[in-house]
Amino acid sequence: MKRGILLFLSLLILGCKPYKAQSIYNTKNNANTTDPKLVVGIVVDQMRYDYLKKFYSKYSNGGFKRLMREGFQVQNIHYNYIPTFTAVGHTSIYTGTTPSSHGIISNYWYDKYLRKGIYCVDDSNYKSIGAKSGGEKSPHRMLTTTISDELKMAQNGRNKSIGISIKDRSAILPAGHTADAAYWFKGGDDGKFITSSFYMEQLPQWVQDFNSQNKADTYLNQVWNTYFDINSYTESIIDDNSYEQPFKGKETPTFPYDLKELRKKNKNYSLIKKIPAGNSILVDFAEATILGEQLGKGVGTDFLSISFSSTDYVGHQFGVDSKELEDTYIRLDRDLERLLNFLDKNVGKGKYTLFLTADHAAVQVPAYLQSLKVPAGYFDSDKFKKFVKEKANIYFGNSDIIENISNLQIFLNREKLKEYYLSVEEVTRKLMEEIINFDKVYKVVSAETMQNTNFTKGVLNSLQNGYNQKFSGDILVMPNPATIIYPHKGSSHGSGYSYDTHVPLLFYGKGIRQGVSKRYHPIVDIAPTISSLLNISQPNGCTGRPIIEVLK
Ligand SMILES: [Zn+2]
């Protein structure tokens, strides 16, 4: 009887709780001594390829320059889909495929089944661990495996796999479905690294210890000034200009920044995300992770993914050409040097493999480009929504056939179409005829075309790789180059044009050749390259190919 109750209870628990795969891994020792002890994947949010060259003279010898000098530079790697956003970028790097199959089609999108807007990693099945809220997340919307998943399964769970970042999505998605943990920074009045009950029920002692050191306070009690004399920052435009968004509580977007004062009006601990110290505290946390989890010290190959987010926040606020952005990269380079030295000391030089790339790049502030007479501009999405609804009314007598317009996609309401005896084809065709005439629209394509035509190159190939038959809209719109949906201050990203798609890619360490390649590679080639290096399966939706010139 008792056993019956126990069985019933355990079935009940199994039914409600996530299945913990670790429990069934066999623990046979199958470690290969030629494999790296640790793979470190680094993503720099919004890093353009040209930053490697642009700020080269200001970098130290031990950061970016060390990776470029001693490792392998892939100089012509591009995103091969639209939209180039954070969640999509991280997922594509680690899954080796595009939104058409991994399913992460944006950061936020309209879910036509739930009929509401959703966020890529939100998951109400889980609760927040380490803070009252902000941890209700999981990678459940990512439909394929990551390279970190494949490494975990290849070793029967005998390694550790962890993702860390300031942003939740940038910690969760790279770490994959089988991760031991993902940690990210909770701003506001918390100022701590937190996680989700998807991974654990309690923060490990080392994370609690890290949080109790209040490092965020130490950083936020300082003044942000330039690392070198500001007059030597000749790679960027003047400090006080109209293309930058000042912080709340400060009139001009100019150095120095009194953080202690500014945090009062800029959501307290959230301010650290928007300054270089957001990257510094992540390196502090990376060091604590390596020590706390003894990464690189186990029997197998561990995996640590690190994503630096502050570069993206600074780019959005101050723009690609700002002194703030230049200083952020100069300081990130020092943080990188610190991380590499730490890895040498604690894992061992020659015992780890590392790659560094970005989740997307960014456009120069369009208003600044306009001042240089370069064609650029702003896409008015509110006006666009009104325009589409107006046309629907004119031609079909009803605007409620338009269910949702978001991420430059139009979703038609199937029930209303039926009710008014309209076909998707005729509505789509008529609306497209009108939309191409809307200000700053470059192309408009139907879902039907995406399904029935095979585009092998160019922006339409990128649009197709980003199109997911199940989740995407019925009409897809592409604005002109250097045209963004954003305020007139600061940079953004999202397009399939080269300023958004061209990113750095550096490989370094065990199994990696020293050299440079100028050959074109799509971003989906990173994951199979790591698979090839580790001699493990490629992620299960992988569409890329190994970059063979990188490997020994
Ligand atoms: Zn961004």
Side-chain angles (χ1 to χ4, degrees):
M1 184 65 193
K2 259 189 185 165
R3 279 184 62 177
I5 292 171
L6 270 176
L7 184 69
F8 173 73
L9 276 176
S10 44
L11 279 174
L12 197 72
I13 289 165
L14 276 175
C16 313
K17 287 195 83 178
Y19 175 57
K20 285 275 179 219
Q22 280 89 335
S23 58
I24 54 118
Y25 287 129
N26 89 49
T27 50
K28 191 169 101 265
N29 188 337
N30 59 352
N32 186 340
T33 48
T34 61
D35 289 338
K37 297 303 294 173
L38 175 67
V39 177
V40 182
I42 298 178
V43 177
V44 182
D45 205 316
Q46 205 192 101
M47 183 171 181
R48 286 165 56 113
Y49 172 74
D50 61 349
Y51 293 165
L52 286 177
K53 273 281 144 63
K54 198 175 174 186
F55 308 131
Y56 190 83
S57 67
K58 302 238 170 18
Y59 290 147
S60 69
N61 273 324
F64 287 116
K65 277 187 189 170
R66 172 174 166 190
L67 299 179
M68 290 164 81
R69 191 178 58 239
E70 297 175 20
F72 197 99
Q73 301 180 45
V74 181
Q75 295 188 331
N76 197 20
I77 191 143
H78 283 263
Y79 277 87
N80 61 334
Y81 60 79
I82 297 168
T84 42
F85 290 136
T86 294
V88 199
H90 284 79
T91 307
S92 303
I93 293 166
Y94 286 88
T95 61
T97 189
T98 55
S100 55
S101 43
H102 64 55
I104 301 293
I105 59 170
S106 192
N107 290 331
Y108 299 83
W109 67 91
Y110 180 71
D111 186 315
K112 57 191 182 194
Y113 300 96
L114 298 173
R115 302 191 107 151
K116 63 172 189 180
I118 53 109
Y119 175 57
C120 57
V121 291
D122 269 351
D123 189 342
S124 57
N125 289 313
Y126 299 97
K127 62 180 199 293
S128 193
I129 304 294
K132 277 205 180 99
S133 63
E136 306 83 352
K137 321 274 173 204
S138 86
H140 74 112
R141 284 196 174 86
M142 178 167 68
L143 302 176
T144 59
T145 61
T146 60
I147 186 67
S148 35
D149 283 326
E150 294 300 334
L151 181 61
K152 188 89 179 165
M153 292 188 279
Q155 302 180 101
N156 286 325
R158 290 171 57 255
N159 71 330
K160 285 186 177 170
S161 174
I162 295 175
I164 64 170
S165 181
I166 292 294
K167 294 182 180 174
D168 49 27
R169 56 187 179 275
S170 311
I172 292 166
L173 298 165
H177 306 279
T178 59
D180 295 276
Y183 302 104
W184 58 92
F185 187 78
K186 173 91 193 292
D189 291 330
D190 285 303
K192 295 185 288 196
F193 281 88
I194 66 162
T195 189
S196 157
S197 61
F198 176 75
Y199 305 101
M200 62 191 79
E201 289 301 319
Q202 199 186 345
L203 287 177
Q205 192 57 46
W206 67 265
V207 179
Q208 295 182 36
D209 291 345
F210 184 90
N211 284 336
S212 62
Q213 289 175 44
N214 291 324
K215 278 182 184 277
D217 270 317
T218 311
Y219 285 115
L220 288 170
N221 284 334
Q222 296 172 10
V223 171
W224 176 20
N225 217 330
T226 52
Y227 188 83
F228 294 119
D229 178 0
I230 195 166
N231 295 313
S232 73
Y233 284 25
T234 49
E235 295 79 6
S236 37
I237 60 176
I238 54 164
D239 195 19
D240 193 5
N241 67 70
S242 59
Y243 313 116
E244 304 180 11
Q245 181 64 50
F247 279 119
K248 280 183 189 140
K250 185 167 162 70
E251 260 169 47
T252 58
T254 52
F255 284 102
Y257 292 98
D258 181 350
L259 304 172
K260 207 171 173 178
E261 201 47 43
L262 285 173
R263 67 188 285 189
K264 293 176 194 162
K265 288 191 176 160
N266 292 274
K267 297 186 186 158
N268 199 1
Y269 287 106
S270 295
L271 180 62
I272 203 169
K273 300 177 183 181
K274 301 186 168 189
I275 58 171
N279 298 326
S280 307
I281 198 171
L282 193 69
V283 170
D284 298 339
F285 191 70
E287 293 181 356
T289 309
I290 293 164
L291 291 181
E293 295 292 343
Q294 291 285 294
L295 297 184
K297 295 277 193 311
V299 284
T301 302
D302 294 329
F303 201 103
L304 175 64
S305 62
I306 305 173
S307 176
F308 292 107
S309 312
S310 297
T311 40
D312 182 63
Y313 289 102
V314 173
H316 278 296
Q317 181 154 359
F318 299 101
V320 161
D321 293 284
S322 64
K323 298 238 187 288
E324 285 80 357
L325 185 110
E326 178 166 0
D327 195 62
T328 300
Y329 277 89
I330 291 169
R331 289 174 183 278
L332 172 63
D333 177 66
R334 268 73 194 174
D335 282 322
L336 207 54
E337 179 178 32
R338 181 158 65 94
L339 177 67
L340 292 172
N341 290 339
F342 186 87
L343 286 165
D344 288 348
K345 202 171 152 223
N346 290 281
V347 179
K349 203 173 178 181
K351 289 187 176 166
Y352 62 93
T353 306
L354 181 148
F355 68 86
L356 181 147
T357 189
D359 57 343
H360 53 75
V363 70
Q364 291 171 277
V365 181
Y368 170 63
L369 289 173
Q370 286 170 340
S371 79
L372 303 176
K373 300 176 185 160
V374 175
Y378 296 90
F379 187 85
D380 191 334
S381 58
D382 289 336
K383 223 178 191 173
F384 178 70
K385 281 179 196 173
K386 241 184 244 165
F387 174 88
V388 173
K389 288 191 174 168
E390 218 173 81
K391 296 299 171 193
N393 230 337
I394 292 171
Y395 292 105
F396 306 108
N398 287 288
S399 64
D400 57 3
I401 55 171
I402 309 294
E403 184 167 312
N404 178 274
I405 303 177
S406 54
N407 287 323
L408 291 163
Q409 299 187 5
I410 300 169
F411 295 82
L412 300 176
N413 185 317
R414 294 293 194 278
E415 288 146 31
K416 292 290 170 193
L417 290 182
K418 224 181 216 172
E419 194 182 318
Y420 307 137
Y421 301 101
L422 293 166
S423 75
V424 174
E425 291 72 28
E426 65 173 316
V427 172
T428 299
R429 196 175 351 105
K430 196 71 220 169
L431 288 178
M432 281 172 53
E433 274 173 31
E434 293 293 335
I435 288 168
I436 192 64
N437 300 317
F438 187 80
D439 189 29
K440 298 187 178 66
V441 167
Y442 169 59
K443 272 184 192 302
V444 54
V445 183
S446 69
E448 196 193 350
T449 301
M450 289 283 102
Q451 287 163 35
N452 299 332
T453 315
N454 184 22
F455 295 103
T456 54
K457 55 181 197 233
V459 285
L460 286 177
N461 173 253
S462 297
L463 196 67
Q464 190 157 46
N465 288 335
Y467 170 79
N468 187 298
Q469 188 175 0
K470 202 165 165 88
F471 305 125
S472 299
D474 297 294
I475 299 172
L476 295 85
V477 179
M478 201 189 297
N480 289 337
T483 301
I484 58 175
I485 304 173
Y486 205 69
H488 289 219
K489 293 169 191 284
S491 286
S492 197
H493 49 87
S495 80
Y497 299 115
S498 61
Y499 53 80
D500 277 340
T501 63
H502 193 193
V503 290
L505 176 59
L506 305 170
F507 285 93
Y508 169 85
K510 185 143 190 155
I512 302 297
R513 270 191 198 157
Q514 194 183 7
V516 177
S517 170
K518 292 184 187 297
R519 206 178 286 166
Y520 168 84
H521 287 283
I523 202 76
V524 292
D525 286 356
I526 296 176
T529 305
I530 297 296
S531 287
S532 194
L533 174 89
L534 300 171
N535 259 311
I536 59 168
S537 299
Q538 297 180 350
N540 65 12
C542 185
T543 51
R545 281 181 276 189
I547 309 173
I548 48 173
E549 56 265 39
V550 165
L551 303 170
K552 272 183 183 161

